[in-house]
Amino acid sequence: MVNIEDFKKLEIRVGRIESAEAIEGSEKLLKLSVNFGEFGKKQILAGLAKYYSLSDLIGLEVFFAFNLEPRTLMGLESQGMILAVDGKSGKPVLLKPSEDVEPGNMVK
Protein backbone atom coordinates (compact mmCIF):
# COMPACT_ATOMS: atom_id res chain seq x y z
CA MET A 1 0.00 0.00 0.00
CA VAL A 2 1.09 3.53 -0.78
CA ASN A 3 -0.20 6.33 1.37
CA ILE A 4 -1.62 9.48 -0.21
CA GLU A 5 1.37 11.60 0.78
CA ASP A 6 3.73 9.28 -1.13
CA PHE A 7 1.37 9.23 -4.13
CA LYS A 8 1.28 13.04 -4.20
CA LYS A 9 5.05 13.08 -4.72
CA LEU A 10 4.65 11.65 -8.23
CA GLU A 11 4.06 14.25 -10.94
CA ILE A 12 2.14 12.87 -13.90
CA ARG A 13 2.23 15.40 -16.73
CA VAL A 14 1.16 15.59 -20.36
CA GLY A 15 4.02 15.72 -22.82
CA ARG A 16 4.11 16.11 -26.61
CA ILE A 17 6.51 13.73 -28.36
CA GLU A 18 8.55 15.90 -30.74
CA SER A 19 10.94 13.27 -32.05
CA ALA A 20 11.51 9.53 -31.80
CA GLU A 21 14.67 7.61 -32.72
CA ALA A 22 15.72 3.99 -32.70
CA ILE A 23 18.59 3.21 -30.32
CA GLU A 24 21.43 1.34 -31.94
CA GLY A 25 21.87 -2.09 -30.39
CA SER A 26 18.38 -2.25 -28.86
CA GLU A 27 15.38 -4.05 -30.32
CA LYS A 28 12.99 -2.54 -27.76
CA LEU A 29 14.02 0.97 -26.80
CA LEU A 30 13.27 4.24 -28.53
CA LYS A 31 14.69 7.64 -27.61
CA LEU A 32 11.94 10.24 -27.35
CA SER A 33 12.31 14.00 -27.13
CA VAL A 34 9.28 15.20 -25.16
CA ASN A 35 8.06 18.77 -24.81
CA PHE A 36 6.51 19.64 -21.43
CA GLY A 37 5.68 23.25 -22.26
CA GLU A 38 6.92 25.69 -19.61
CA PHE A 39 8.75 22.79 -17.90
CA GLY A 40 11.05 22.30 -20.90
CA LYS A 41 12.03 19.22 -22.85
CA LYS A 42 13.17 15.84 -21.59
CA GLN A 43 14.77 12.79 -23.15
CA ILE A 44 12.77 9.70 -22.30
CA LEU A 45 13.58 6.13 -23.31
CA ALA A 46 10.63 3.82 -23.89
CA GLY A 47 10.34 0.13 -24.80
CA LEU A 48 7.95 0.73 -27.69
CA ALA A 49 10.04 -0.15 -30.77
CA LYS A 50 8.27 -3.48 -31.40
CA TYR A 51 4.82 -1.86 -31.29
CA TYR A 52 4.96 1.67 -32.71
CA SER A 53 6.62 3.21 -35.76
CA LEU A 54 8.60 6.37 -35.16
CA SER A 55 6.18 8.42 -37.26
CA ASP A 56 3.17 7.13 -35.24
CA LEU A 57 4.63 8.60 -32.06
CA ILE A 58 5.64 12.05 -33.26
CA GLY A 59 3.08 14.66 -32.25
CA LEU A 60 1.27 12.48 -29.72
CA GLU A 61 0.32 14.01 -26.39
CA VAL A 62 0.48 11.34 -23.72
CA PHE A 63 1.01 11.03 -19.97
CA PHE A 64 4.45 10.67 -18.40
CA ALA A 65 5.81 10.15 -14.91
CA PHE A 66 7.66 13.46 -14.94
CA ASN A 67 9.71 13.64 -11.76
CA LEU A 68 11.38 10.22 -11.60
CA GLU A 69 15.09 10.08 -10.90
CA PRO A 70 17.01 9.78 -14.19
CA ARG A 71 18.05 6.27 -15.17
CA THR A 72 20.75 5.18 -17.63
CA LEU A 73 19.81 2.55 -20.22
CA MET A 74 22.04 1.53 -23.15
CA GLY A 75 24.37 4.38 -22.18
CA LEU A 76 21.62 7.01 -22.50
CA GLU A 77 19.82 8.91 -19.75
CA SER A 78 16.06 8.55 -19.44
CA GLN A 79 14.48 11.46 -17.58
CA GLY A 80 10.96 10.08 -17.06
CA MET A 81 8.60 7.28 -18.01
CA ILE A 82 5.81 7.07 -20.55
CA LEU A 83 2.57 5.63 -19.15
CA ALA A 84 0.77 2.77 -20.90
CA VAL A 85 -1.40 -0.25 -20.16
CA ASP A 86 -1.29 -3.69 -21.76
CA GLY A 87 -3.81 -3.97 -24.57
CA LYS A 88 -5.70 -7.18 -25.33
CA SER A 89 -3.13 -8.07 -27.99
CA GLY A 90 -0.24 -7.38 -25.62
CA LYS A 91 0.62 -4.09 -27.35
CA PRO A 92 1.15 -1.22 -24.90
CA VAL A 93 -1.72 1.28 -25.16
CA LEU A 94 -0.49 4.80 -24.47
CA LEU A 95 -2.50 6.88 -22.01
CA LYS A 96 -3.76 10.10 -23.63
CA PRO A 97 -6.00 12.97 -22.52
CA SER A 98 -9.54 12.76 -23.91
CA GLU A 99 -9.44 16.47 -24.84
CA ASP A 100 -6.75 18.89 -26.03
CA VAL A 101 -4.56 20.08 -23.17
CA GLU A 102 -1.35 22.04 -22.94
CA PRO A 103 1.93 20.13 -22.64
CA GLY A 104 3.14 20.24 -19.05
CA ASN A 105 -0.30 20.11 -17.46
CA MET A 106 -0.29 17.89 -14.38
CA VAL A 107 -2.78 15.17 -13.47
CA LYS A 108 -4.72 16.16 -10.34
Side-chain angles (χ1 to χ4, degrees), residues 21-31 45-52 54 57 74 92:
E21 301 174 32
I23 296 175
E24 188 176 332
S26 177
E27 294 180 10
K28 297 178 184 179
L29 289 176
L30 297 176
K31 180 173 74 169
L45 307 183
L48 301 174
K50 292 184 177 183
Y51 306 101
Y52 290 90
L54 301 177
L57 293 169
M74 302 287 299

Side-chain angles (χ1 to χ4, degrees), residues 28-80:
K28 297 178 184 179
L29 289 176
L30 297 176
K31 180 173 74 169
L32 308 177
S33 175
V34 183
N35 182 338
F36 290 97
E38 66 181 274
F39 299 97
K41 294 181 184 179
K42 287 191 173 200
Q43 174 175 284
I44 296 179
L45 307 183
L48 301 174
K50 292 184 177 183
Y51 306 101
Y52 290 90
S53 71
L54 301 177
S55 61
D56 287 341
L57 293 169
I58 296 171
L60 285 183
E61 292 182 349
V62 294
F63 292 110
F64 292 86
F66 180 80
N67 63 332
L68 294 179
E69 288 185 10
R71 183 173 175 196
T72 302
L73 304 164
M74 302 287 299
L76 298 169
E77 185 177 78
S78 184
Q79 302 166 324

Side-chain angles (χ1 to χ4, degrees), residues 92-104:
V93 177
L94 302 178
L95 303 182
K96 303 186 277 189
S98 60
E99 296 182 16
D100 286 339
V101 296
E102 291 295 317

